[in-house]
Amino acid sequence: MPVESGNSAAARQVKQKRKSHSLSIRRTNSTEQDRPGMQRDMLEGQDSKLPMALRSNLMDLFGQIEREFENLYIENLDLRREIDSLNERLAGEGQTVDGGDLSKGALKTKASHSTSQLSQKLKTTYKASTSKIVSSFKATTSRAVCQLVKEYVGHRDGIWDLAVTRVQPLVLGTASADHCSMLWSIETGKCLLKYAGHAGSVNSIKFHPTEQMALTASGDQTAHIWRYMVQLPLPQPPADISASLDDDVDFSDKDEADGEADGPNECPTIRIATTTLKSHQGVVIAADWLVGGKQVVTASWDRAANLYDVETSELVHALTGHDQELTHCCTHPTQRLVVTSSRDTTFRLWDFRDPSIHSVNVFQGHTDTVTSAVFTVGDNVVSGSDDRTVKVWDLKNMRSPIATIRTDSAVNRISVSANQRIIALPHDNRQVRLFDMSGVRLARLPRSNRQVRFIITFLFCSMSVKLSHTL
């Protein structure tokens, strides 16, 4: 018969002690008087290397947990008794509940009814609060009403840019891919003058601040300055209301064809520029006058912007630094500041206020091509990008935008109203939206199904706010 060794006997005693300890822990029905003795027995019977103070604290925590479980158990018993009494009362009224299941019978009906009332109350409160918020926005933000006022038909290709003269007489100028630029009567929609001096697409048009001169940029790698003289036609008598309503309902292609026949064929044409600026090695995508009109700036696909003297047509300064093609340039209305945008996802601010120092600041606020960046009358810059965002910046602090407008489509060349500070955003999805400077949407211009109307409306939308007092 094998003899039990000393180690085996010690192991058996440890197992017995652990067994007695586990049994003592499972005693959940002990009274408060028995707990101190039970804890002492556990401490004495358990072989542990923990200090006595820690073991005592641990046992106190176990005791608190046990008391919490006991309280929960007592509460469950009370709830069960209430459920049983409720079932008995319902059974006396002729309603039965199977097994006291709260998900069936009358309890379910009452619970569903109370839940429905609570849900309805929450919905009513939510709608009321939402209506108050929307009303507050409507009260502080004036909604813009947009409608088609006039169509200017005559170009034979897409229109890339438009502008309004800054001096009298007020006329509308358009730049088109058909190698021509046209001046239009705003009131009648008739073509007054056509400039055909470019050998490529006319990408932009800007008017001199004080004289009757226009600046156009072209795909033929040049920018032209040309003078114009126009005489506005006499205002026509107001048309019959019924006839105008009929015209609105039946706007046929024949009317557009007649307008095209009467427009460009009678326009006088200018084919020679007063000044030709040719220092670029790529497409000149945009050009603008500096304040005072003695200098102009051009932006090109050769990754540079050039500053020219108007009188001598000489290159004053080459603005280099962009890594990819430039997409737009704009000058400040009252200060010698220039902003250029590029496909390198940046736009740059050039400062010419000090003739001896030409400083430049680079801003990386977008993640895709910056299609345009323009100044406002105040100290703001508005930039649009193919990353489907438009951002408003403060010239005094350009570290972060003061407003961000997120759209569902890439943004093309934007325009800002000088008087009402409204931003017009033409999108790639054939929609045009109006926002204020804080990023609140004001309106969406209706779009046409036909391509010609789309082109005219798409680009004229940026001037619709500027001409709102004139039209």
Side-chain angles (χ1 to χ4, degrees):
M1 182 175 181
V3 180
E4 187 178 18
S5 63
N7 293 335
S8 300
R12 186 173 57 186
Q13 291 178 1
V14 171
K15 290 182 179 180
Q16 290 177 355
K17 291 179 180 180
R18 290 179 179 176
K19 183 177 180 181
S20 61
H21 171 60
S22 61
L23 291 176
S24 63
I25 289 180
R26 285 194 292 266
R27 290 176 57 196
T28 58
N29 57 349
S30 61
T31 61
E32 295 290 338
Q33 294 79 6
D34 296 335
R35 281 174 185 158
M38 178 188 67
Q39 293 176 358
R40 286 193 300 270
D41 294 340
M42 292 173 58
L43 292 174
E44 294 175 356
Q46 184 177 4
D47 186 9
S48 176
K49 296 181 181 180
L50 293 176
M52 184 61 65
L54 292 179
R55 296 173 65 185
S56 177
N57 188 20
L58 182 62
M59 297 311 302
D60 292 338
L61 294 176
F62 280 142
Q64 293 177 12
I65 294 173
E66 184 180 8
R67 286 192 294 273
E68 291 295 332
F69 275 113
E70 287 180 352
N71 293 332
L72 291 176
Y73 180 73
I74 294 172
E75 290 179 1
N76 289 334
L77 291 178
D78 294 338
L79 290 175
R80 176 55 60 182
R81 284 194 294 268
E82 292 180 2
I83 292 174
D84 293 338
S85 61
L86 180 60
N87 288 335
E88 293 177 358
R89 186 165 60 254
L90 292 176
E93 295 176 358
Q95 300 176 358
T96 60
V97 180
D98 297 337
D101 191 356
L102 295 178
S103 63
K104 298 180 180 180
L107 288 180
K108 181 178 179 181
T109 304
K110 291 185 178 182
S112 300
H113 181 66
S114 61
T115 305
S116 176
Q117 290 180 344
L118 180 60
S119 176
Q120 186 65 28
K121 186 180 295 184
L122 289 174
K123 288 181 180 179
T124 305
T125 305
Y126 174 76
K127 288 181 180 179
S129 60
T130 305
S131 300
K132 290 181 181 179
I133 296 174
V134 174
S135 300
S136 64
F137 279 128
K138 290 182 178 180
T140 57
T141 305
S142 58
R143 303 292 292 182
V145 178
C146 303
Q147 60 181 356
L148 179 63
V149 177
K150 186 72 63 176
E151 285 188 294
Y152 303 85
V153 182
H155 283 292
R156 301 182 182 277
D157 208 334
I159 300 176
W160 299 124
D161 195 16
L162 53 82
V164 176
T165 57
R166 307 184 190 182
V167 296
Q168 297 294 335
L170 292 179
V171 297
L172 172 68
T174 55
S176 173
D178 62 4
H179 301 189
C180 294
S181 177
M182 292 186 179
L183 304 184
W184 307 82
S185 169
I186 297 175
E187 295 291 342
T188 64
K190 299 295 183 180
C191 178
L192 304 176
L193 183 67
K194 180 169 71 172
Y195 178 73
H198 283 290
S201 171
V202 185
N203 299 321
S204 74
I205 180 171
K206 291 291 184 295
F207 291 101
H208 193 276
T210 58
E211 301 182 23
Q212 292 186 357
M213 291 193 299
L215 170 65
T216 52
S218 174
D220 60 8
Q221 303 182 5
T222 65
H224 290 181
I225 299 175
W226 45 277
R227 291 185 176 272
Y228 63 89
M229 291 184 63
V230 294
Q231 183 176 2
L232 295 179
L234 297 176
Q236 298 179 354
D240 187 13
I241 299 178
S242 60
S244 62
L245 292 176
D246 294 340
D247 292 341
D248 292 337
V249 175
D250 186 14
F251 205 103
S252 61
D253 294 335
K254 181 178 180 300
D255 296 335
E256 294 183 359
D258 295 341
E260 184 178 353
D262 296 339
N265 294 336
E266 298 179 358
C267 282
T269 303
I270 300 177
R271 300 184 183 275
I272 300 176
T274 305
T275 303
T276 300
L277 309 175
K278 46 183 180 180
S279 297
H280 286 289
Q281 304 300 319
V283 171
V284 182
I285 193 65
D288 201 357
W289 303 85
L290 262 72
V291 57
K294 296 182 179 180
Q295 292 179 328
V296 298
V297 61
T298 58
S300 173
W301 284 3
D302 61 5
R303 306 181 183 181
N306 290 341
L307 182 66
Y308 295 93
D309 183 84
V310 174
E311 185 177 356
T312 62
S313 69
E314 294 181 356
L315 177 64
V316 177
H317 194 73
L319 313 180
T320 59
H322 282 290
D323 295 332
Q324 295 187 31
E325 296 89 341
L326 272 65
T327 58
H328 191 242
C329 69
C330 181
T331 60
H332 195 278
T334 60
Q335 302 183 51
R336 291 177 57 81
L337 299 174
V338 177
V339 61
T340 57
S341 56
S342 171
R343 291 177 57 87
D344 61 8
T345 72
T346 69
F347 65 94
R348 299 187 174 219
L349 179 64
W350 310 82
D351 191 349
F352 298 99
R353 289 175 291 187
D354 189 348
S356 60
I357 302 175
H358 302 312
S359 62
V360 58
N361 294 308
V362 183
F363 303 101
Q364 298 177 341
H366 294 280
T367 59
D368 205 339
T369 298
V370 182
T371 55
S372 61
V374 298
F375 290 101
T376 66
V377 176
D379 293 332
N380 296 117
V381 176
V382 183
S383 60
S385 172
D386 282 344
D387 63 3
R388 302 184 179 184
T389 63
V390 175
K391 298 185 178 182
V392 183
W393 309 79
D394 188 354
L395 284 175
K396 298 178 182 178
N397 184 11
M398 297 284 288
R399 294 182 179 179
S400 60
I402 60 177
T404 300
I405 303 172
R406 303 189 182 279
T407 66
D408 57 355
S409 177
V411 180
N412 295 316
R413 187 172 296 181
I414 61 180
S415 180
V416 180
S417 168
N419 298 328
Q420 303 180 19
R421 294 172 62 83
I422 297 177
I423 309 172
L425 307 181
H427 299 276
D428 278 351
N429 60 3
R430 301 176 60 192
Q431 292 185 357
V432 181
R433 296 182 175 92
L434 304 181
F435 292 82
D436 63 11
M437 297 299 294
S438 61
V440 178
R441 177 176 167 179
L442 301 178
R444 178 174 65 88
L445 272 67
R447 66 183 182 184
S448 173
N449 293 328
R450 285 182 288 182
Q451 184 178 4
V452 175
R453 281 191 180 183
F454 156 67
I455 294 175
I456 298 294
T457 307
F458 181 80
L459 290 165
F460 185 70
C461 71
S462 59
M463 302 304 301
S464 60
V465 179
K466 296 182 180 180
L467 302 178
S468 59
H469 298 293
T470 305
L471 295 179

